[in-house]
Amino acid sequence: MTLAQRALERLQAWPDLMAGPASCGTGRALRSARDEIVHFHSTRDVDLHLTHRAIQRIHDDLAGSSAIHLVPGSCWVTVHLDCGADVDLLLGLVSIALKSHQSRPVLDEPLSARCNFHRVTVLPRDVAAGG
């Protein structure tokens, strides 16, 4: 079982999330009653729909993680799953995303905001570190 499959399986058990196809056309999505929250694009890459406010609030922590890739101006972050700790990180961020989406005004961000698929190139940690 891949890390993405493990994360998807765990998140599908959450009562606030429903599975379906990703609106970008690639992979599976989990959505809340209001918004798509997670896109599983590959066996390792997951896009997570945080709000702009949530990203601003935890930006330094996100930027400090080798598993997280930010696209300027995007309310989506890409999580690269290399190990079990990355799955745990994703689960924690999904919890933040759900809370952020529940508390944001409906017109705060367009629902059609594009995920980061094809906007982020992720290198495995060992290659990125030069090893």
Short mmCIF file of all heavy atoms in Angstrom, two decimals, residues 66-67 69 80 82 121-131:
data_model
loop_
_atom_site.label_atom_id
_atom_site.label_comp_id
_atom_site.label_asym_id
_atom_site.label_seq_id
_atom_site.Cartn_x
_atom_site.Cartn_y
_atom_site.Cartn_z
N SER A 66 10.27 20.11 4.53
CA SER A 66 10.72 19.61 3.22
C SER A 66 9.61 18.84 2.50
O SER A 66 9.73 18.57 1.30
CB SER A 66 11.94 18.72 3.40
OG SER A 66 11.63 17.60 4.21
N ALA A 67 8.52 18.52 3.18
CA ALA A 67 7.41 17.79 2.56
C ALA A 67 6.40 18.73 1.92
O ALA A 67 5.56 18.29 1.13
CB ALA A 67 6.71 16.92 3.60
N HIS A 69 5.23 22.08 -0.37
CA HIS A 69 5.62 22.94 -1.47
C HIS A 69 4.52 23.97 -1.67
O HIS A 69 3.36 23.62 -1.88
CB HIS A 69 5.85 22.12 -2.74
CG HIS A 69 6.91 21.10 -2.53
ND1 HIS A 69 8.25 21.38 -2.64
CD2 HIS A 69 6.83 19.80 -2.13
CE1 HIS A 69 8.95 20.31 -2.35
NE2 HIS A 69 8.12 19.34 -2.03
N HIS A 80 4.30 16.26 -0.30
CA HIS A 80 4.98 15.12 -0.89
C HIS A 80 5.17 14.08 0.21
O HIS A 80 5.81 14.35 1.22
CB HIS A 80 6.32 15.54 -1.49
CG HIS A 80 7.01 14.44 -2.21
ND1 HIS A 80 6.55 13.95 -3.42
CD2 HIS A 80 8.10 13.72 -1.90
CE1 HIS A 80 7.36 12.97 -3.81
NE2 HIS A 80 8.30 12.82 -2.91
N ASP A 82 6.82 11.06 1.63
CA ASP A 82 8.02 10.23 1.55
C ASP A 82 8.12 9.22 2.68
O ASP A 82 8.87 8.26 2.57
CB ASP A 82 9.27 11.11 1.60
CG ASP A 82 9.90 11.32 0.24
OD1 ASP A 82 9.56 10.59 -0.71
OD2 ASP A 82 10.74 12.22 0.13
N THR A 121 6.73 20.84 -9.22
CA THR A 121 7.57 19.69 -9.50
C THR A 121 8.25 19.31 -8.21
O THR A 121 8.95 20.13 -7.61
CB THR A 121 8.63 20.01 -10.57
OG1 THR A 121 7.95 20.40 -11.76
CG2 THR A 121 9.51 18.79 -10.84
N VAL A 122 8.03 18.10 -7.76
CA VAL A 122 8.58 17.64 -6.48
C VAL A 122 9.68 16.64 -6.75
O VAL A 122 9.48 15.65 -7.44
CB VAL A 122 7.48 17.00 -5.61
CG1 VAL A 122 8.06 16.55 -4.29
CG2 VAL A 122 6.34 17.98 -5.39
N LEU A 123 10.85 16.91 -6.19
CA LEU A 123 11.95 15.97 -6.26
C LEU A 123 12.00 15.17 -4.97
O LEU A 123 11.74 15.72 -3.90
CB LEU A 123 13.28 16.72 -6.42
CG LEU A 123 13.44 17.54 -7.70
CD1 LEU A 123 14.75 18.32 -7.65
CD2 LEU A 123 13.41 16.65 -8.91
N PRO A 124 12.33 13.88 -5.04
CA PRO A 124 12.48 13.11 -3.80
C PRO A 124 13.53 13.77 -2.91
O PRO A 124 14.46 14.41 -3.39
CB PRO A 124 12.97 11.74 -4.28
CG PRO A 124 12.57 11.68 -5.72
CD PRO A 124 12.58 13.09 -6.23
N ARG A 125 13.37 13.64 -1.60
CA ARG A 125 14.26 14.30 -0.65
C ARG A 125 15.73 13.99 -0.88
O ARG A 125 16.58 14.84 -0.78
CB ARG A 125 13.87 13.93 0.78
CG ARG A 125 12.68 14.68 1.25
CD ARG A 125 12.50 14.51 2.75
NE ARG A 125 11.26 15.13 3.13
CZ ARG A 125 10.20 14.49 3.55
NH1 ARG A 125 10.23 13.19 3.68
NH2 ARG A 125 9.10 15.13 3.86
N ASP A 126 16.04 12.72 -1.21
CA ASP A 126 17.45 12.37 -1.38
C ASP A 126 18.06 13.05 -2.62
O ASP A 126 19.21 13.45 -2.62
CB ASP A 126 17.67 10.86 -1.42
CG ASP A 126 16.85 10.17 -2.51
OD1 ASP A 126 15.89 10.78 -3.04
OD2 ASP A 126 17.16 9.02 -2.83
N VAL A 127 17.27 13.25 -3.67
CA VAL A 127 17.75 13.92 -4.86
C VAL A 127 17.87 15.43 -4.58
O VAL A 127 18.87 16.06 -4.94
CB VAL A 127 16.80 13.69 -6.07
CG1 VAL A 127 17.20 14.57 -7.24
CG2 VAL A 127 16.80 12.22 -6.44
N ALA A 128 16.86 16.01 -3.91
CA ALA A 128 16.87 17.43 -3.61
C ALA A 128 18.04 17.79 -2.68
O ALA A 128 18.59 18.88 -2.76
CB ALA A 128 15.55 17.85 -2.97
N ALA A 129 18.45 16.86 -1.84
CA ALA A 129 19.56 17.11 -0.90
C ALA A 129 20.91 16.84 -1.55
O ALA A 129 21.94 16.98 -0.91
CB ALA A 129 19.37 16.25 0.34
N GLY A 130 20.91 16.39 -2.80
CA GLY A 130 22.15 16.15 -3.49
C GLY A 130 22.69 14.74 -3.28
O GLY A 130 23.83 14.45 -3.60
N GLY A 131 21.85 13.82 -2.75
CA GLY A 131 22.34 12.48 -2.48
C GLY A 131 21.73 11.49 -3.30
O GLY A 131 21.94 10.68 -4.00
#
